[in-house]
């Protein structure tokens, strides 16, 4: 059965510049209700030598990966089985490195593309020349804690939206860039929910499933409740969800969009400071609808005209950490 499972996709240990071991990191991730993490140490895969033992002791899924940490930008690499080198790549040669990752069946994502660079963070700011954005599988549009409030993340989110408007199907994710086990309760942590199907007998998830979910875009990101988006035809009854593509022709049909909030997921690890929440439906045509969420009903629906739409996502706005901001967003439903 397919389920929405919470993952952290950007982590570090003392094998690079983190403060904890893989065992300590996994235990902390388990304590905050995560189902898995991507192990993305800087330019090394050495902590993964302990992967099987840590997975067995914690029950946490650890996805194999690393973070290319260069002078021209940081790129997250996930789902690989062997180290992939980047040191021979110039500023205009990143696609050669991406090809090496894709040859292993892995995926690549731009990490914190607008975070301040040297000397605060060597190479953090993305400067590689992208000749074809189809090669980029995902972008870390939210990074760090309380991510929606950071100017660098707001720029990354706008860039992602612009790329969607240009027709690129790139997945938006969050990454805490986790270096320390210490978490202040006042610092809301965003997590990336992936729609996955654990193996029936063992309940385990394989790396390839995580890679496929991110590549397809069956992803929802939140600092609070899990946000889900569905689209149903009022004619033939067909339904579509996050990451799906609605086939043509569709503009002649009547459609209804439904947004659901699951307040039970990881509910002990986040707290809203305002019950007044708003769902905004956004697409390549701009704001499509704005719907108030009331506590008596955590499901809101509205009719949608799909003519001219190439993508549609949901955003949740409300109060968290004593500020009003975007709390969650889904990846798009696409239109042929």
């Amino acid at each position: 059965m397919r389920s929405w499972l919470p993952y952290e996709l950007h982590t570090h240990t003392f094998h690079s510049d983190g403060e904890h071991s893989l065992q300590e990191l996994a235990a902390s991730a388990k304590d905050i209700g995560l189902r898995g993490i991507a192990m993305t140490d800087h330019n090394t895969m050495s902590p993964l030598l302990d992967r099987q033992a840590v997975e067995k002791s914690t029950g946490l899924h650890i996805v194999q990966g690393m973070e290319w940490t260069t002078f021209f930008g940081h790129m997250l690499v996930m789902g690989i089985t062997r180290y992939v080198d980047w040191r021979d790549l110039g500023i205009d040669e990143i696609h050669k490195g991406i090809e090496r990752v894709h040859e292993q069946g892995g995926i690549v994502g731009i990490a914190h593309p607008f975070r301040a660079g040297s000397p605060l963070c060597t190479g953090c700011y993305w400067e590689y020349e992208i000749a074809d954005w189809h090669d980029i599988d995902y972008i870390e549009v939210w990074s760090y804690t309380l991510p929606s409030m950071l100017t660098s993340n707001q720029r990354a989110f706008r860039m992602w939206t612009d790329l969607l408007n240009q027709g690129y199907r790139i997945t938006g994710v969050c990454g805490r860039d986790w270096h320390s086990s210490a978490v202040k309760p006042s610092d809301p942590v965003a997590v990336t929910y992936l729609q996955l199907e654990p193996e029936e007998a063992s309940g385990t998830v394989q790396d390839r499933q995580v890679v496929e979910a991110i590549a397809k875009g069956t992803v929802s990101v939140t600092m609070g409740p899990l946000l889900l988006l569905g689209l149903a035809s009022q004619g033939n009854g067909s339904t579509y969800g996050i990451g799906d593509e609605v086939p043509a022709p569709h503009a002649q049909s009547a459609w209804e969009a439904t947004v659901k909030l699951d307040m039970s997921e990881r509910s002990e690890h986040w707290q809203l400071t305002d019950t007044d929440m708003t769902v905004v439906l956004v697409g390549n045509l701009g704001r499509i609808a704005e719907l108030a969420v009331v506590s008596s009903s955590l499901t809101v629906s509205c009719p949608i005209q799909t003519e001219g739409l190439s993508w549609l996502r949901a955003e949740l706005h409300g109060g968290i950490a004593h500020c009003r901001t975007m709390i969650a967003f889904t990846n798009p439903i696409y239109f042929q």
Side-chain angles (χ1 to χ4, degrees):
M1 180 179 177
R2 298 182 70 81
S3 304
W4 288 93
L5 304 179
Y7 274 67
E8 169 55 57
L9 301 181
H10 190 165
T11 67
H12 297 282
T13 71
F14 55 53
H15 285 252
S16 60
D17 61 347
E19 297 178 4
H20 41 209
S21 66
L22 182 58
Q23 177 71 45
E24 292 167 335
L25 171 65
S28 296
K30 192 79 173 179
D31 286 344
I32 61 171
L34 298 182
R35 179 61 182 269
I37 59 172
M39 184 64 258
T40 56
D41 259 327
H42 296 288
N43 298 332
T44 183
M45 298 179 70
S46 56
L48 290 162
L49 293 171
D50 299 326
R51 178 194 184 198
Q52 290 185 336
V54 173
E55 285 186 327
K56 185 176 180 180
S57 67
T58 62
L60 194 83
H61 178 210
I62 301 171
V63 183
Q64 297 187 104
M66 62 184 292
E67 182 179 9
W68 286 3
T69 308
T70 83
F71 290 113
F72 306 126
H74 294 192
M75 188 167 76
L76 299 166
V77 176
M78 198 183 310
I80 55 175
T81 57
R82 304 182 309 278
Y83 181 90
V84 181
D85 208 347
W86 55 268
R87 289 172 295 176
D88 59 334
L89 304 176
I91 195 170
D92 59 349
E93 296 176 310
I94 191 64
H95 289 278
K96 293 180 182 178
I98 294 172
E99 184 178 359
R100 296 168 189 170
V101 175
H102 286 165
E103 285 174 351
Q104 282 197 39
I107 54 177
V108 299
I110 298 176
H112 45 64
F114 294 107
R115 186 180 295 178
S118 297
L120 298 178
C121 178
T122 302
C124 277
Y125 192 95
W126 185 264
E127 296 182 88
Y128 279 108
E129 296 176 9
I130 302 296
D132 185 358
W133 282 94
H134 288 105
D135 282 354
I136 304 299
D137 300 296
Y138 65 103
I139 297 173
E140 192 178 76
V141 298
W142 276 7
S143 180
Y144 204 57
T145 55
L146 193 54
S148 62
M149 298 299 292
L150 298 179
T151 302
S152 58
N153 290 332
Q154 293 165 5
R155 292 184 66 187
F157 199 88
R158 288 196 299 269
M159 179 180 76
W160 175 50
T161 301
D162 289 342
L163 289 167
L164 292 174
N165 286 340
Q166 294 172 48
Y168 297 105
R169 297 188 179 185
I170 301 173
T171 301
V173 307
C174 68
R176 180 172 154 191
D177 203 354
W178 196 351
H179 286 78
S180 171
S181 296
V183 180
K184 298 178 182 178
S186 59
D187 292 340
V189 174
V191 299
T192 300
Y193 279 86
L194 309 175
Q195 191 179 39
L196 302 168
E197 187 170 4
E199 294 181 358
E200 189 172 343
S202 62
T204 58
V205 175
Q206 303 300 318
D207 283 11
R208 60 171 177 79
Q209 294 174 283
V210 170
V211 165
E212 290 168 359
I214 295 173
K216 183 184 177 183
T218 51
V219 173
S220 185
V221 174
T222 184
M223 290 186 283
L226 171 60
L227 184 68
L228 299 177
L229 171 65
L231 194 66
S233 168
Q234 297 178 331
N236 59 23
S238 55
T239 60
Y240 300 89
I242 298 168
D244 287 341
E245 179 185 66
V246 181
H250 51 74
Q252 293 78 23
S253 302
W255 295 88
E256 183 175 68
T258 299
V259 179
K260 297 181 180 180
L261 275 65
D262 187 338
M263 305 292 285
S264 65
E265 288 289 340
R266 300 184 63 255
S267 57
E268 65 272 29
H269 301 292
W270 52 267
Q271 184 176 2
L272 303 181
T273 53
D274 188 350
T275 57
D276 180 20
M277 293 180 288
T278 303
V279 165
V280 180
L281 297 179
V282 180
N284 57 295
L285 301 179
R287 285 199 171 202
I288 308 300
E290 189 168 320
L291 308 168
V293 179
V294 295
S295 57
S296 59
S297 176
L298 298 175
T299 300
V300 292
S301 300
C302 70
I304 291 290
Q305 297 293 327
T306 64
E307 184 174 2
L309 276 181
S310 59
W311 61 272
L312 178 75
R313 70 167 178 245
E315 300 173 0
L316 178 67
H317 296 255
I320 194 167
H322 303 288
C323 58
R324 189 162 185 86
T325 184
M326 188 191 302
I327 297 171
F329 64 89
T330 71
N331 271 262
I333 296 174
Y334 294 100
F335 299 85
Q336 203 174 64

